[in-house]
Amino acid sequence: MDGNTEPLSPRAKLAVTAGKAAAAVSRAAGRGSGSVIGGKVALRLDPDLLGRLAQHLDVILVSATNGKTTTTRLIAEALRAAGPVVSNALGANMPAGITSALAGGSDARFGVIEVDEKYLAGVARDTTPKAIALLNLSRDQLDRAGETRMLAERWREGLAGSKAVVIANADDPLVVWAASSSPTVVWVAAGQEWKDDAWSCPSCGGVLQWPNDEWFCADCGFRRPAPSWALSGDYVLDPHGSAWPIHLQLPGRANKANATTSAAVAATFGVPPQVALERMYGVQAVAGRYDVVSFLNREVRLLLAKNPAGWLETFSLIDPPPTPVILAVNARGADGTDTSWLWDVDYTRLAGHPIFVIGDRKLDLAVRLEVAGLQFQVCETVDEAVQYAPPGRIELIANYTAFQDVRRRVGN
Amino acid sequence: MMSDNSLRLVWVYPDLLSTYGDQGNALVVERRARQRGLDVTRIDVRSDQPVPTSGDIYLIGGGEDRPQRLASERLRRDGGLSRAASNGAIIFSVCAGYQILGHEFINDLGEREPGLGLLDVISTRGEGDRCVGDVYGDIDQRLGLPPLTGFENHQGITHLGPTARPFARVQLGRGNGTGDGTEGAYNDTVFGTYMHGPVLARNPQIADLLLKLALDVNALPPTDDRWYEALRTERIAAATQPA
Ligand SMILES: [Zn+2]
C-alpha cells in the first residue's frame, strides 16, 4: 500500500508542536503521560489534525468492549515485521489521545490505533483506515454507555461504504450485524464465551438459536457468516487451512482469540501468520494487565475485568483451586456507578477457591457471593487480603479503578 | 398456594429483560427460599417460549427500549403471565418490566405501546436527563418493611391510577418521576419498581414479603442477613450523606 508523502502543513506542524509542549508540561506537573492534554491542545489548534496525521500512515483501527488494548499491542508487534509502527499503546483511545499518539510517529508506516467503541465511527471517518478489527460487543457501564445494540447500530452506520478491510468476529452476532454493512469483511471465528447480549437478533428482534456455534435467526435468516480464519484450540487456522501454533505469554482463551484476529489483520498487510504469531510471543503484559508482581513476599497476578463478559473470560484463565483469589470492585465514574452487573457474573465458577474481597464496593460483592453460596472473607485493604491468603500464587481480579488502585499500592 | 412441594419461581424473558443485573432478584428469592428449607424450581422463560401459568412467583427485569417493546408484544400474544396473575400469582417487576405491567408506555419508536394492564399505571418518557443514582425512601407502611434502598437508571415517568398504591416514597432520588415523591406501584399481588441494585439484594425483606405472599404465611424462619445489613447501612449512608 502506498504511503502519502505530502508534508504536514505549517498549521498542522504548529499544532503538533503545541500538543507536544502541552504534554510535556502536563507530565512535568505529574499528571500522567500527558497524551490526552497534548492531543486536546493540538486538536484545538487544528481540528483536522487527526486526519492529516493519519494521511501519512496505513491506519488500522481496533475496537471492542473487551481486549482492544491487548489486541492493539499484538497487531502492532506483528506489523513491525513489515515496517515502523506508531500506536496509542497506553490505551488513550478517544480522539485527543489518538491524535497525540500519532503526532509522535512521523517516521512510521503503520498507525495501529485502539478506539473507544463510542468513537469508532468518527475516528474511522477522520483517519481513512486500511483495516478495522472488531472483536466483540457486550454490556458495559450501563449507567452511561447506553445500549449495546445502539452501539452496534452506530458501528453499522459508520462502517457502511468504508473502504477499509473489516476483520470481524463471526461468533458475536452484534459484531456481525455491525460489520455486515461494509463491502469487504474478513470473518474470524474468534469465539465469545459471553452470550447474554446475543439472544435477540440484532436485525429483526427474533430469538437467536444456538444449536451449536452456528447461531442463526429463524425469523429473518440472519446467521453466522462462514469464517475464513479461526481459533481452534491452541492454533490459528488460516484461509488456506494451515494450522499455526499460538505461543503467547499472555494467558487465556480470549488472548488466543485476540492473537487470531491479529494474525488475520497482519496477513492483510502481507505479514505471514507464522511471522506474526512469533512476534506476538514478545508481548508480556499490557498496561500492567497479566503482570505477576511480588508484593509482601507473595506472587500476585494482576487481572483486569471490567464487565460481565470480561469476568467470565478471566475465570476461565485463573489457576484451579485451591489457588487464592482476591476480588476488587469499585464503582467510580470510570467503572460505571451501578454495581448491578455483579449479578450477571456467575461467581459459582469460583467455588473451591479461597476468596478475598476488597474495593469500594466490597459489600455489594459480599452479598453477591453470599447469595451464590460461596465462602469468602471481606478485607479492608489489598495488604490485608494478601496476608490472609493461603500459600501459593494469588490471582487478583479487579475492575478498572480498583485495578489502578492495586497497581499503585503494589508499585507496578 | 404453592403448587406441589416446590416453589415455582419464573424468570420472565431473560433474553430481552435481563440487561441491568435484575436476574439477581431471582437469585436472591431462590437463595432465601432454600435457606428456609423450601425446594425451588426456577423456570427461565425465553421470549419464544410460553409463559407457564402455574408459577408461584414471577420476576421481570429491566431492559433496553427495543427489547421492551418486543417483550410487551410477546407477553400480550402469549397471555400466560396475565392468566397467572388472574390465578393470584405474585409478580414483581423492575423498570422496563414495571412499565410493561401497566396499561401503556412509550416504546423505542416513540409510540404508545400497550402493556398488560396488570397494574393501574401509565408510563411516558421524561424530557430531561436520565434518572441515574442511589435512591433512598420509605416503603408503603401497610407493607411493614424497613426503608428502601436502590439504584435507579431510567428516563420513564409513571403515573398511578386509582387502584395502584405507591410502593414507596423517595426521600432521595426520582422514583416514578412524577415529582410527587412516589416510587413504584403495587396492588394485592403485583408489584412494580424502578429500583435496580438489584433491589432484592439491597432489600431482602422485600424478597421475604414475596415469599410470604406466595406461601400464604405471616412469618419465615430468620436468616443470617449480616452482609445484606452491612450493604444497606453503607448504601443508605452514601445516599443521604453525599461526599
Ligand atoms: Zn432476525
Side-chain angles (χ1 to χ4, degrees), chain A residues 152-200:
Chain A
E153 178 103 43
R154 268 150 66 188
W155 280 15
R156 186 178 167 85
E157 285 166 7
L159 297 178
S162 163
K163 292 201 178 66
V165 178
V166 176
I167 294 98
N169 186 358
D171 292 321
D172 185 327
L174 281 169
V175 166
V176 170
W177 191 67
S180 302
S181 67
S182 1
T184 316
V185 187
V186 174
W187 297 110
V188 180
Q192 164 83 322
E193 218 182 316
W194 173 258
K195 302 265 187 292
D196 286 359
D197 289 300
W199 288 110
S200 197

Side-chain angles (χ1 to χ4, degrees), chain A residues 200-208 216-223:
Chain A
S200 197
C201 174
S203 179
C204 80
V207 178
L208 286 186
F216 66 94
C217 171
D219 292 0
C220 75
F222 179 66
R223 59 169 52 245

Side-chain angles (χ1 to χ4, degrees), chain A residues 139 142 149 201 205 340 343 361, chain B residues 18-20 66 74 197-198:
Chain A
R139 60 189 66 177
L142 287 167
R149 188 185 159 277
C201 174
S340 302
W343 296 79
R361 301 305 289 270
Chain B
S18 186
T19 311
Y20 295 90
R66 184 169 87 146
R74 288 169 199 176

Side-chain angles (χ1 to χ4, degrees), chain A residues 34 39 53 166 312 405:
Chain A
L53 289 168
V166 176
L312 193 64
D405 287 354

Side-chain angles (χ1 to χ4, degrees), chain A residues 339 342 361-368, chain B residues 202 231 234:
Chain A
T339 52
L342 291 170
R361 301 305 289 270
K362 52 187 176 291
L363 295 178
D364 292 78
L365 200 44
V367 171
R368 175 70 190 93
Chain B
R202 293 275 194 97
L231 174 62
E234 179 198 279

Side-chain angles (χ1 to χ4, degrees), chain A residues 139 142-143 147-149 199-202 205 207 209 337-338 340 343-344 361 363-364 367 370-371 376 378, chain B residues 15 18-21 23-24 31 46-48 64-66 74 151 153 197-198 201 227-228 230-231 234-235:
Chain A
R139 60 189 66 177
L142 287 167
D143 60 321
E147 305 190 352
T148 311
R149 188 185 159 277
W199 288 110
S200 197
C201 174
V207 178
Q209 310 295 320
T337 54
D338 185 3
S340 302
W343 296 79
D344 289 329
R361 301 305 289 270
L363 295 178
D364 292 78
V367 171
E370 202 287 319
V371 170
F376 60 92
V378 175
Chain B
D15 55 322
S18 186
T19 311
Y20 295 90
Q23 72 156 322
R31 170 77 172 163
R46 249 174 32 176
S47 69
D48 58 348
E64 303 176 352
D65 292 349
R66 184 169 87 146
R74 288 169 199 176
F151 190 94
N153 179 9
W227 292 116
Y228 294 102
L231 174 62
E234 179 198 279
R235 295 330 301 161

Side-chain angles (χ1 to χ4, degrees), chain A residues 66 138-140 193-194 254 303-318 325-330 335 341-347 349-350 355-358 365 368-369 395-400 402-403:
Chain A
N66 289 314
S138 68
R139 60 189 66 177
D140 186 37
E193 218 182 316
W194 173 258
L303 301 164
L304 173 71
K306 292 186 281 195
N307 46 51
W311 282 78
L312 193 64
E313 293 281 9
T314 304
F315 290 164
S316 70
L317 69 79
I318 61 175
V325 177
I326 299 174
L327 307 176
V329 170
N330 288 353
D335 304 305
W341 61 269
L342 291 170
W343 296 79
D344 289 329
V345 179
D346 181 12
Y347 286 97
R349 297 260 305 261
L350 295 178
I355 302 171
F356 302 86
V357 175
I358 58 172
L365 200 44
R368 175 70 190 93
L369 298 176
E395 307 277 24
L396 189 153
I397 312 173
N399 73 340
Y400 190 71
F403 190 83

